[in-house]
Amino acid sequence: MSRPKPQKRATVHDIAAAAGVSRGTVSRVLNGGYVSAEARAAIEAAITDVGYVPNNAARTLKMRRSQAVAFVALEPHSLFLDDPNIGAIMLGANAALSLADHQMVSLVVESARDTERVARYLSGGFVDGAIVVSARTRDPIIKVIADLRIPAAFVGHPPELSDSIPFVGIDNVGSARSITARLAASGRRRIGMIAAALDRDSGLDRLTGFKNALGTEFDPSLVADVPHYDYGSGVKGMRLLLEREPAIDGVFAASDAIAAGALEALREAGRSVPGDVGVVGFDDSTWAVRCQPQLSTVHQPAKELGSFAAQLVLRQLAGEQVEHHGELLDTPIIWRDSA
């Protein structure tokens, strides 16, 4: 009795023939590159029809790639899991990488020793590219990425970022200006800000937007400078503002977590929100809807930022030329009950 012949493994040629496209177009889809929606749909249907299974081991040997991308977060370890924005950015990046059959490797950097360790890892061939989040001004990781010349994308735009490295972000100046102006338009006269992370482009830009909105009414004594976008910083910052100006009637918090802490400090002081003090935040994170009252805030599209950054890296891995001027995503104001 003769044995049945083993079934021939489907190839890129088979997919191209079934989809009616070129092999190059199929390769771009398989490697996470850009093609039209129509071509992608035809190729995905053809993959199912011909029973194609990617030979990742052979592809890795041929291309000398790991099929992995690093997600580098420059955050204190204690805050990494508590920050809903970092989590949402990470999920967005992971979803995009997963669709392109890439693994995501999370690396948390808090110290100079961490930077050295991560630099060694990134240069060791363990990952094909990197997504960098929360880089600070003059952060050593910026030079590390530039020197390695690996496919990379930043979420945010630290001032020293090379023009050769693409980024995705939001207009922090314009967003902060808009929500501060709306808070002032509600009748608030003594408006302060709990400003965080002034060593990052996001923190400094939000303070700039706040100043721009108030113009000649800006009072530098009504800015409480705190280190992190976290609840505890909001409590401390709000207590400081109340000490400096008991008549304060409006507060722009640099993040929703900070705003939540500010609400707690105001409750301690016997101030009602929004009756005595109007409070607005930034992010539209889970903090915004968990607060009582719910926060008026700026919506930051965190998942979309992560997804866009991942696509920038995947496009570079596919050999595409990526525009390096940067992309800014929309940030609408979400007005709720806190102001």
Side-chain angles (χ1 to χ4, degrees), residues 121-306:
Y121 185 84
L122 293 176
S123 64
F126 302 106
V127 295
D128 302 324
I131 298 163
V132 183
V133 182
S134 297
R136 289 156 174 76
T137 301
R138 294 183 293 278
D139 200 302
I141 200 69
I142 301 170
K143 186 175 187 302
V144 167
I145 296 293
D147 289 348
L148 289 175
R149 297 185 178 182
I150 60 174
F154 277 64
V155 177
H157 187 258
E160 300 82 11
L161 187 64
S162 167
D163 290 340
S164 65
I165 301 175
F167 73 93
V168 59
I170 61 172
D171 180 4
N172 282 289
V173 174
S175 300
R177 182 173 58 241
S178 294
I179 197 161
T180 302
R182 183 154 179 182
L183 179 62
S186 70
R188 312 294 172 172
R189 291 293 173 263
R190 294 294 286 161
I191 300 176
M193 178 180 179
I194 307 175
L198 295 181
D199 56 349
R200 302 184 201 172
D201 61 301
S202 61
L204 199 56
D205 285 352
R206 290 174 199 181
L207 176 57
T208 298
F210 175 75
K211 291 179 180 178
N212 290 349
L214 294 183
T216 58
E217 298 299 315
F218 171 71
D219 182 347
S221 72
L222 293 185
V223 175
D225 179 1
V226 297
H228 303 301
Y229 292 123
D230 69 318
Y231 180 90
S233 293
V235 174
K236 293 175 184 177
M238 191 67 243
R239 287 172 179 166
L240 181 59
L241 288 178
L242 287 169
E243 288 175 9
R244 292 178 181 174
E245 176 54 277
I248 192 168
D249 63 356
V251 175
F252 168 43
S255 78
D256 292 342
I258 290 174
L263 292 179
E264 177 60 27
L266 288 165
R267 274 190 287 271
E268 289 176 355
R271 306 295 178 87
S272 67
V273 176
D276 297 325
V277 183
V279 177
V280 296
F282 200 109
D283 292 332
D284 197 25
S285 67
T286 52
W287 281 106
V289 292
R290 284 160 48 193
C291 287
Q292 290 298 326
Q294 292 189 350
L295 291 173
S296 296
T297 186
V298 172
H299 175 75
Q300 179 166 205
K303 282 188 179 180
E304 290 83 355
L305 288 168

Side-chain angles (χ1 to χ4, degrees), residues 7 10-11 14-15 17-20 41-53:
Q7 187 175 3
T11 67
D14 299 322
I15 299 171
I43 290 167
E44 289 174 349
I47 288 172
T48 301
D49 290 343
V50 303
Y52 174 78
V53 177

